Amino acid sequence: MPNQNKNSELVEKILSLKEKRKAVILTHNYQRPEVQDIGDFVGDSLELSRKAAEVNAPVIVFCGVHFMAETASILSPDSVVLLPDVESGCPMADMITVEQLIAKKKELPGVRVVCYVNSSAAVKAESDICCTSANAVNVVRSMGESKILFIPDQYLGYYVTTRLRRDMYLWPGFCPTHVKIQAQDIIDQKKRYPGAVALAHPECRPEVTAVADEVLSTGGMLRYARTAQAEVMIIATETGILHRLKKENFGKTFVPATAKAVCPNMKRITLEKVLWALEEMKTEVKVPIDVRKRAISAVDRMLSL
Ligand code: 13P
Ligand code: SF4
């Protein structure tokens, strides 16, 4: 009970300060339940990018990880974009630096770079087009026969090659949270819940997506669950999404493939930190103008598809 009272006090303060600052709160599907619940908009990476481009608010509080706040700053340069915990990074995004990418492009003359949004703004600035887990297959399809370097997630890249039956150079990055999910986890849950349908994120290893019934982005999972006939769904992605799945689908059962799939960075943001961000207007994430100018073409190309 004391925790609940504390949360409702914090929520009240956040809402009143949010109004004063004319701020909009964007929240990723992996955030803590109480943080999702104060979001004006909760979504996957693609949906949040679209929202950031259209909200037209003086202040955006981004409850997600650093690259997402950067993308919001690229798309909404006149807004002050606040990340409530500046340490909330993405280890996969850090698996490629702009220097490494430039060197690789020299090694592979003529290659076109498809860059998963889980990357820094500087890396996006050196890429031809961005993609998210929701649109990666369509983005690569739009590149025709070109020679493609897919960065930084090898597993999302590999998944795209299997869907499109084509080769690509794959950067050896990965998500440390999604690689914790094992194929055996899904097999075991299917034994426990006969008839259950397994939904896996394409950041999972190939042997995991191979035993899943559907491979979907987090937004895709939410849409699938709404109309699914199955009563039980096994969810192979970061466990934060279970909150929304349960909240929006009363009467259906959602079980994680494994409780180990927790992204510590996504969980750094708390209600207190959201309040402090609005009080102190910190920490602002701003992409330098020269980087923004080059990065925006890769992001815009994706959004225009
Ligand atoms: P979605 O694009 O499905 O939201 O997942 C991205 C992700 O893993 C965020 O880190
Ligand atoms: Fe990065 Fe993985 Fe966390 Fe997503 S879940 S923010 S890809 S570490």
Side-chain angles (χ1 to χ4, degrees):
M1 255 321 136
N3 229 353
Q4 239 174 29
N5 288 344
K6 191 176 156 217
N7 277 0
S8 44
E9 262 173 49
L10 284 167
V11 169
E12 233 173 80
K13 284 184 188 165
I14 289 168
L15 295 182
S16 97
L17 201 49
K18 187 183 83 142
E19 205 169 294
K20 192 170 144 208
R21 302 269 195 229
K22 299 193 175 20
V24 165
I25 302 180
L26 301 184
T27 308
H28 190 266
N29 291 324
Y30 294 160
Q31 290 286 299
R32 292 169 184 271
E34 63 276 18
V35 174
Q36 293 190 32
D37 290 344
I38 50 144
D40 292 297
F41 186 79
V42 191
D44 69 12
S45 304
L46 181 61
E47 293 160 346
L48 294 175
S49 300
R50 291 212 171 104
K51 268 287 162 214
E54 74 186 34
V55 280
N56 204 13
V59 179
I60 295 174
V61 181
F62 208 111
C63 301
V65 290
H66 194 270
F67 75 80
M68 296 181 175
E70 272 192 338
T71 309
S73 160
I74 291 169
L75 289 167
S76 195
D78 297 328
S79 308
V80 174
V81 179
L82 302 175
L83 184 62
D85 187 322
V86 80
E87 299 295 317
S88 167
C90 168
M92 182 209 283
D94 296 338
M95 288 178 191
I96 184 165
T97 64
V98 67
E99 293 78 15
Q100 288 171 321
L101 175 55
I102 292 170
K104 197 68 184 172
K105 279 165 67 174
K106 278 198 189 124
E107 254 175 55
L108 302 169
V111 82
R112 303 190 71 204
V113 180
V114 177
C115 170
Y116 188 26
V117 280
N118 297 38
S119 53
S120 69
V123 164
K124 289 183 178 77
E126 280 298 324
S127 302
D128 292 283
I129 188 165
C130 283
C131 72
T132 71
S133 56
N135 64 14
V137 172
N138 284 342
V139 166
V140 173
R141 193 183 279 127
S142 79
M143 307 290 282
E145 297 300 303
S146 326
K147 200 160 65 161
I148 292 176
L149 169 63
F150 190 95
I151 58 168
D153 185 8
Q154 59 180 304
Y155 296 126
L156 175 61
Y158 179 78
Y159 172 70
V160 173
T161 65
T162 59
R163 284 284 309 274
L164 296 178
R165 293 167 205 245
R166 63 167 296 168
D167 275 339
M168 292 194 290
Y169 296 102
L170 303 178
W171 193 267
F174 60 91
C175 164
T177 297
H178 283 84
V179 298
K180 287 189 184 146
I181 304 170
Q182 306 289 312
Q184 194 59 44
D185 294 327
I186 294 184
I187 296 165
D188 290 347
Q189 289 292 53
K190 283 209 164 192
K191 277 192 202 135
R192 232 169 263 141
Y193 300 96
V197 167
L199 314 182
H201 195 278
E203 284 179 16
C204 292
R205 298 172 194 265
E207 57 271 30
V208 175
T209 48
V211 294
D213 298 290
E214 302 287 338
V215 180
L216 298 162
S217 70
T218 57
M221 289 182 187
L222 285 149
R223 281 187 292 279
Y224 180 93
R226 260 172 237 145
T227 53
Q229 297 295 310
E231 275 167 27
V232 183
M233 279 161 260
I234 300 161
I235 305 300
T237 191
E238 211 278 348
T239 56
I241 197 176
L242 291 162
H243 175 63
R244 242 188 107 184
L245 282 167
K246 288 177 185 167
K247 195 168 147 181
E248 293 178 10
N249 297 284
F250 185 72
K252 290 180 185 165
T253 303
F254 299 92
V255 290
T258 167
K260 287 187 198 142
V262 176
C263 173
N265 286 287
M266 283 283 180
K267 302 301 187 257
R268 291 184 78 101
I269 296 177
T270 59
L271 285 179
E272 261 146 340
K273 289 181 189 173
V274 174
L275 178 62
W276 298 334
L278 281 163
E279 278 172 353
E280 297 163 22
M281 292 297 282
K282 271 189 188 159
T283 296
E284 183 175 2
V285 174
K286 187 121 196 111
V287 176
I289 186 133
D290 55 319
V291 178
R292 177 185 176 264
K293 269 192 194 151
R294 288 179 298 126
I296 198 160
S297 16
V299 180
D300 272 348
R301 252 176 238 136
M302 164 185 88
L303 292 178
S304 69
L305 276 183

